[in-house]
Amino acid sequence: MELTKYEQDMLDGKHGEGVALAMKIQVGLGKAFNAKRMVEITRTHVALSAQDADLWFVEKLLNKGARCKISPTVNPSINIGYLKEHLFEVPDAGVDIVSATNEAYKKIGATLTFNCTPYLQQNVPGFGEVISFSESSATPYVNSVLGARSNRESSWSALCAAITGRVPEYDLLLDENRKGEILVEVEADIKDDFDYQLLGWCYPQKYKGLEIPVFTGIDKRPTPEGFMNFGAQLNTSGAVSMYHVVGITPEARTLEEAFGNNKIKKKITITNEDIERVRKSLCGEPGKIDFAMFGCPHLTISQVATIAKKLEGKRLAVDFWILTSTLTKQLAQKMGYLNIIQRAGGNMIDSTCIDVPPCWQPYYGKTGITDSPKCAYYNEIRNIKFIIRPLEECVDAAIKGEVLK
Ligand code: F3S
């Protein structure tokens, strides 16, 4: 790999041991992917997880003197104070690792947003910006919807990028690798944000390859929440880091632009029957529920408004959790939504992820309801079962304590 003098100096330790370690990892990655050079980045987002390996790595860099050149936003962890007050006493081990991780990220220079939708608030890249974003719903969103350029990063590689201000140039950073190869004709009626969850889950069931899919047949621009759901499920069930929607996403104004010089390698059709099959296999049978959980990825203010409207003057029969960013929670308070949700018996927690053990221990072995297949999938290992329904139906079920259909 060709390095500039500045980059070579970083690698040789002239900017300190921590920077050298970050650069060494990135050069290794670059070599593995046949990158010819490093390129500067303007933004980073690190999928912090507050687990042992996360803490080990950030402390290792910190102890070697590394600091971020570009302050990354970070994924949610656990809002320990809120959980202690409203759910259960978080075990000391959990408290210790979360506090130590937060402290280490603060020291290294991260911006502690604790939010998994940075592409909607606080860290929104523009078209063509070269960035380093880790987090499964973020990578497809920034590449496909915003036209920014990020490879599929791990939390470690994104943290290294934040420290060096560089990434190796390969894959989605290059024009020729951003073109489609798989044509996906959507014949199914995709009517709302929830249908994008199902469509996002459905495509990888029909095609397992990592090539960029180009969707046709979607005439109406999805909402930001629709795009968020779509990318989250595509990437969770199929490792899709970028897609095009012809006539809608910025690098696919036409079919020709979406494919560039590539030939169509495979044609796939998604019908109403396919979506129904996914609905049946994924969403689960009606029945009693113990709790409701939303916000994987973190809910937007418009989703919170939908919930608040349904809960006005009602009382919830089961525990009810909305996970969101600090900013959205504050906005919900201003708009009166928080008050409505709390009066109904619900919780709105910021800075928290559905996937951070031992955060949700009281629900191990129980049955919840959610609108997010990703939430259900990540919690399988904790023996938490989820019934999946559209958001408004979930709220109805939480009021009744049961899913009727
Ligand atoms: Fe966000 Fe955690 Fe889900 S980071 S997308 S709530 S797994």
Side-chain angles (χ1 to χ4, degrees):
M1 252 175 101
E2 215 172 89
L3 299 182
T4 62
K5 174 162 184 327
Y6 182 65
E7 289 158 0
Q8 189 64 50
D9 283 351
M10 284 200 259
L11 186 63
D12 293 344
K14 292 190 182 149
H15 296 257
E17 243 190 288
V19 174
L21 175 61
M23 196 63 175
K24 190 173 166 196
I25 291 170
Q26 290 192 290
V27 168
L29 257 178
K31 284 184 180 162
F33 286 97
N34 293 320
K36 293 200 171 65
R37 57 174 192 159
M38 305 290 286
V39 283
E40 283 188 46
I41 52 160
T42 46
R43 296 170 185 277
T44 56
H45 177 80
V46 174
L48 160 157
S49 65
Q51 293 175 31
D52 293 333
D54 186 17
L55 178 60
W56 175 82
F57 188 62
V58 66
E59 281 189 336
K60 186 177 178 77
L61 287 163
L62 198 55
N63 294 337
K64 288 178 180 294
R67 295 293 180 275
C68 294
K69 277 194 182 59
I70 296 172
S71 179
T73 47
V74 295
N75 256 20
S77 157
I78 309 180
N79 182 337
I80 287 173
Y82 192 96
L83 277 187
K84 274 187 167 175
E85 203 179 320
H86 297 273
L87 186 60
F88 78 123
E89 195 60 29
V90 181
D92 286 346
V95 174
D96 293 348
I97 194 165
V98 169
S99 312
T101 309
N102 295 355
E103 199 45 40
Y105 270 94
K106 191 155 75 176
K107 270 198 194 136
I108 209 161
T111 304
L112 301 185
T113 48
F114 298 127
N115 167 27
C116 48
T117 57
Y119 47 85
L120 294 177
Q121 53 181 214
Q122 295 173 313
N123 201 357
V124 185
F127 184 85
E129 238 184 293
V130 180
I131 61 176
S132 176
F133 269 37
S134 58
E135 161 51 35
S136 55
S137 81
T139 319
Y141 200 105
V142 295
N143 278 306
S144 319
V145 183
L146 303 177
R149 296 182 173 211
S150 175
N151 275 323
R152 189 184 179 79
E153 302 281 2
S154 68
S155 57
W156 289 17
S157 65
L159 183 57
C160 290
I163 289 164
T164 64
R166 303 282 190 282
V167 284
E169 190 180 43
Y170 65 90
D171 201 16
L172 293 177
L173 305 193
L174 298 165
D175 289 347
E176 62 272 24
N177 298 330
R178 297 177 67 81
K179 298 295 178 190
E181 285 182 88
I182 310 299
L183 177 63
V184 191
E185 294 172 329
V186 180
E187 289 178 2
D189 305 309
I190 304 299
K191 298 175 295 297
D192 54 28
D193 296 342
F194 184 69
D195 285 345
Y196 279 100
Q197 309 265 36
L198 302 179
L199 182 64
W201 199 268
C202 182
Y203 166 69
Q205 311 297 315
K206 299 206 80 170
Y207 185 72
K208 298 277 178 234
L210 295 177
E211 302 92 334
I212 295 178
V214 177
F215 292 84
T216 61
I218 297 175
D219 303 327
K220 203 171 142 225
R221 187 179 176 82
T223 62
E225 292 77 11
F227 272 131
M228 173 176 93
N229 293 346
F230 191 36
Q233 309 316 329
L234 277 172
N235 208 5
T236 302
S237 68
V240 174
S241 306
M242 180 170 182
Y243 60 89
H244 297 292
V245 182
V246 174
I248 291 177
T249 55
E251 292 169 67
R253 284 167 296 179
T254 61
L255 194 67
E256 292 68 35
E257 185 181 45
F259 280 96
N261 295 327
N262 287 346
K263 289 217 163 52
I264 296 177
K265 197 166 154 189
K266 196 166 174 65
K267 211 189 261 188
I268 289 178
T269 306
I270 296 186
T271 61
N272 281 326
E273 290 70 42
D274 291 319
I275 297 292
E276 271 320 299
R277 243 191 314 278
V278 168
R279 198 188 300 273
K280 277 206 180 108
S281 67
L282 196 65
C283 294
E285 294 298 319
K288 293 261 180 224
I289 51 168
D290 301 303
F291 69 103
M293 184 171 278
F294 313 100
C296 176
H298 274 177
L299 289 200
T300 66
I301 193 67
S302 117
Q303 292 171 308
V304 173
T306 301
I307 292 175
K309 246 178 240 159
K310 295 230 70 158
L311 285 182
E312 179 109 56
K314 301 269 174 28
R315 189 78 209 153
L316 287 156
V318 294
D319 290 3
F320 189 93
W321 291 93
I322 295 172
L323 281 63
T324 192
S325 69
T326 307
L327 287 185
T328 301
K329 185 170 176 181
Q330 280 173 357
L331 189 53
Q333 184 170 18
K334 269 195 188 161
M335 301 292 294
Y337 303 146
L338 181 61
N339 201 1
I340 294 171
I341 291 159
Q342 286 175 336
R343 272 206 312 261
N347 289 284
M348 188 181 274
I349 184 169
D350 66 329
S351 305
T352 302
C353 171
I354 57 101
D355 187 36
V356 182
C359 187
W360 301 106
Q361 209 164 289
Y363 301 120
Y364 290 9
K366 302 219 161 139
T367 301
I369 188 161
T370 182
D371 65 330
S372 165
K374 181 176 177 182
C375 174
Y377 175 73
Y378 279 22
N379 276 303
E380 272 171 19
I381 49 166
R382 286 170 211 117
N383 194 24
I384 303 178
K385 196 179 142 224
F386 275 100
I387 297 171
I388 303 170
R389 293 290 184 273
L391 188 56
E392 288 177 283
E393 287 182 34
C394 289
V395 181
D396 288 335
I399 292 167
K400 292 192 178 75
E402 122 178 78
V403 183
L404 296 176
K405 58 182 175 76

